[in-house]
Amino acid sequence: MLHRSLKDVFPGRFSNTCPAAIELHATLNLTQGCFEKAGITPDSYSEREELPTFKELKGQLLLADRGYYSGSYIHELDKAGGFYVLRAKGLKAVRVHTAFKQNGQELTGSHSPKLCELLPELPKNDLIDMHVSIKNKLTRVVGYWSKKEKQYTFLVTNLSIDEFTATEIGKLYRLRWQIELLFKECKSYNNLRGFQTSSATLQEALIYVSLIVTTLKRFLTGCIEKIFKTEMSTMTVAKTTGVWWIGILTAIIRKHRKGLLNAVNGAFDFLRKNAARAHPKRDRKTGVFQYGVEPNF
């Protein structure tokens, strides 16, 4: 939410309660552990226009939330040689050609019902692996019951059923949560917010400064991991900024080379002792590292 005077520059979707608002669209590269690209648009603009290009995604795996889902987009991405696991919406009217429980039991029979017709028969304690028609093309959909939302969540993917089980598709999609943790880091510890300024230029600049600072902190985190062979917690590094960050910035502003070296060495020593990852072994079994994704900051 922004200052109301910016409603013509950044129109919001809710003109009465939030006339001026923006959306920040970001791509996180899991192998780099930080932003690959980011952009700001008015809140009223479509998220899909901010998706990476097909050329950028060739040979890559895209994980994205339901706001970015488009049947046309996923088929074009598939043709371009990219892979995807996206949370889908608007699938109730699609035809289901096959649907299996994890034990191999088929749920469709000889006919191809619409998904809305099949929904009442789907079990709420099992993953469902389906092939449905989306834009006249057979597409794999994995469905699972969300206890929190009390409805089915559907993931569309072009990953092969022979190589990736329905359970693995769900685990892969949960890696998308890393972008939410990165935003939390920006908001909680790097001043990412809607500033009450009537200057659109200043508003954008302050947001990008937040992203740059987050990137610098994660770069330093990666340096510590490489130098000391210690797995670090990026969130703890961000939390402890008040202890070590100011000295580095002060030395940079003063253009004091020796002071900067001392500040960096002091920061590294402090963070190595106080910001190590709490449960690295657990994370390799159930967390972000379970698929061998090793951030190279």
Side-chain angles (χ1 to χ4, degrees):
M1 183 183 297
L2 307 182
H3 194 279
R4 297 179 69 91
S5 64
L6 296 176
K7 62 182 181 179
D8 293 330
V9 182
F10 295 115
R13 285 176 293 170
F14 310 103
S15 56
N16 293 328
T17 58
C18 189
I22 61 171
E23 285 190 352
L24 175 61
H25 307 272
T27 302
L28 165 65
N29 188 322
L30 281 170
T31 62
Q32 294 177 354
C34 206
F35 296 108
E36 184 165 281
K37 60 189 296 187
I40 295 171
T41 67
D43 186 40
S44 56
Y45 281 30
S46 171
E47 293 99 329
R48 295 173 193 164
E49 299 300 319
E50 301 304 311
L51 282 164
T53 65
F54 300 128
K55 184 178 180 181
E56 290 174 300
L57 290 173
K58 184 177 180 180
Q60 305 295 313
L61 173 65
L62 173 69
L63 309 175
D65 203 4
R66 59 184 295 173
Y68 295 91
Y69 167 74
S70 162
S72 301
Y73 181 88
I74 61 173
H75 293 332
E76 289 299 319
L77 177 56
D78 185 58
K79 288 197 303 186
F83 301 92
Y84 59 85
V85 179
L86 273 76
R87 188 178 178 186
K89 59 182 179 180
L91 297 184
K92 289 187 177 181
V94 302
R95 290 284 178 185
V96 180
H97 296 277
T98 62
F100 293 92
K101 295 171 64 175
Q102 284 187 290
N103 63 5
Q105 179 184 348
E106 189 171 2
L107 299 170
T108 52
S110 58
H111 66 299
S112 298
K114 291 183 178 180
L115 182 56
C116 59
E117 298 169 344
L118 188 63
L119 275 176
E121 302 175 27
L122 297 182
K124 296 179 174 59
N125 58 352
D126 205 347
L127 287 170
I128 310 301
D129 212 332
M130 303 179 287
H131 278 92
V132 308
S133 292
I134 297 178
K135 299 287 185 180
N136 298 318
K137 183 175 180 180
L138 210 58
T139 306
R140 185 183 181 190
V141 175
V142 174
Y144 61 93
W145 180 259
S146 172
K147 292 181 180 179
K148 181 180 179 180
E149 299 178 2
K150 295 184 179 179
Q151 63 181 7
Y152 271 94
T153 293
F154 296 105
L155 302 176
V156 294
T157 183
N158 61 345
L159 295 177
S160 167
I161 195 171
D162 297 324
E163 295 183 71
F164 296 90
T165 66
T167 300
E168 288 175 322
I169 296 299
K171 287 182 177 180
L172 280 170
Y173 183 73
R174 281 196 287 274
L175 290 175
R176 196 203 67 83
W177 190 248
Q178 295 303 309
I179 192 74
E180 305 295 347
L181 295 178
L182 184 56
F183 276 133
K184 180 180 178 181
E185 189 177 316
C186 290
K187 293 175 182 178
S188 299
Y189 308 112
N190 293 292
N191 218 25
L192 178 64
R193 59 170 62 96
F195 299 92
Q196 287 304 299
T197 173
S198 58
S199 168
T201 302
L202 181 58
Q203 174 66 73
E204 288 192 68
L206 289 169
I207 290 173
Y208 282 122
V209 165
S210 173
L211 305 188
I212 291 168
V213 170
T214 303
T215 304
L216 285 172
K217 290 179 183 178
R218 287 206 164 198
F219 169 74
L220 293 176
T221 302
C223 289
I224 295 170
E225 287 191 332
K226 287 182 179 293
I227 294 169
F228 298 105
K229 310 300 181 185
T230 301
E231 294 177 276
M232 302 293 292
S233 166
T234 55
M235 194 67 75
T236 305
V237 170
K239 283 181 182 179
T240 56
T241 297
V243 178
W244 59 271
W245 185 240
I246 301 300
I248 293 176
L249 293 184
T250 301
I252 292 173
I253 292 170
R254 293 177 178 175
K255 299 181 180 179
H256 191 203
R257 185 182 294 272
K258 186 175 180 180
L260 176 59
L261 181 60
N262 291 336
V264 170
N265 282 332
F268 278 22
D269 187 56
F270 171 83
L271 292 171
R272 176 176 63 89
K273 295 176 181 176
N274 297 283
R277 187 178 285 272
H279 304 287
K281 291 183 179 179
R282 181 198 65 187
D283 293 338
R284 294 191 179 282
K285 291 182 179 180
T286 60
V288 67
F289 299 140
Q290 64 180 298
Y291 284 104
V293 177
E294 300 286 347
N296 181 23
F297 295 102

